[in-house]
Amino acid sequence: MKKILVLAVCIGAFAACSSTKMSPDQAKAQVQQLMALYKENKPKFVVQKQEIQQADDCGRATALREAIDAIAAEAAMSPEDTESITMVQMELQQAEKGCLEK
């Protein structure tokens, strides 16, 4: 299952880099994949974050940050544990900021 997830993230990253604009559904799907990586395999999450941060076009970084912001807003009133959402949200905000600063 983890191999499939990693493959899906890598394919999603390639698809995002090759297109100029990512749809909100694509961004949300990639955020879900990144959240799974964050929980299950942080080193691979870090690699994905670096790719987002070092991309020539920051459109993907912005789309992912907007998607995680929407997910966090939906989860804000949830009684469930939302710590991983908050952590991924902060990581993606940092990635976007790093991308825009370069």
Side-chain angles (χ1 to χ4, degrees):
M1 179 66 182
K2 288 182 182 181
K3 290 180 183 180
I4 293 171
L5 177 65
V6 171
L7 179 62
V9 169
C10 292
I11 291 170
F14 178 77
C17 292
S18 65
S19 66
T20 56
K21 180 70 175 155
M22 183 184 303
S23 76
D25 290 337
Q26 289 173 323
K28 191 171 185 175
Q30 282 193 25
V31 166
Q32 295 295 339
Q33 293 168 341
L34 288 167
M35 286 175 46
L37 276 181
Y38 183 84
K39 292 176 189 175
E40 298 173 14
N41 195 332
K42 285 200 176 130
K44 289 185 180 183
F45 173 84
V46 170
V47 169
Q48 290 297 315
K49 179 183 171 187
Q50 288 174 339
E51 288 179 10
I52 294 165
Q53 200 166 7
Q54 295 170 355
D56 291 334
D57 178 15
C58 296
R60 178 177 180 224
T62 300
L64 294 176
R65 195 255 320 138
E66 289 172 352
I68 191 67
D69 287 349
I71 291 169
E74 291 172 10
M77 298 302 288
S78 172
E80 297 176 17
D81 181 20
T82 60
E83 181 180 355
S84 63
I85 294 172
T86 303
M87 297 306 292
V88 172
Q89 182 181 29
M90 290 189 313
E91 295 285 350
L92 291 178
Q93 287 171 347
Q94 288 175 349
E96 180 189 33
K97 182 179 177 185
C99 185
L100 294 171
E101 287 177 348
K102 65 173 183 53

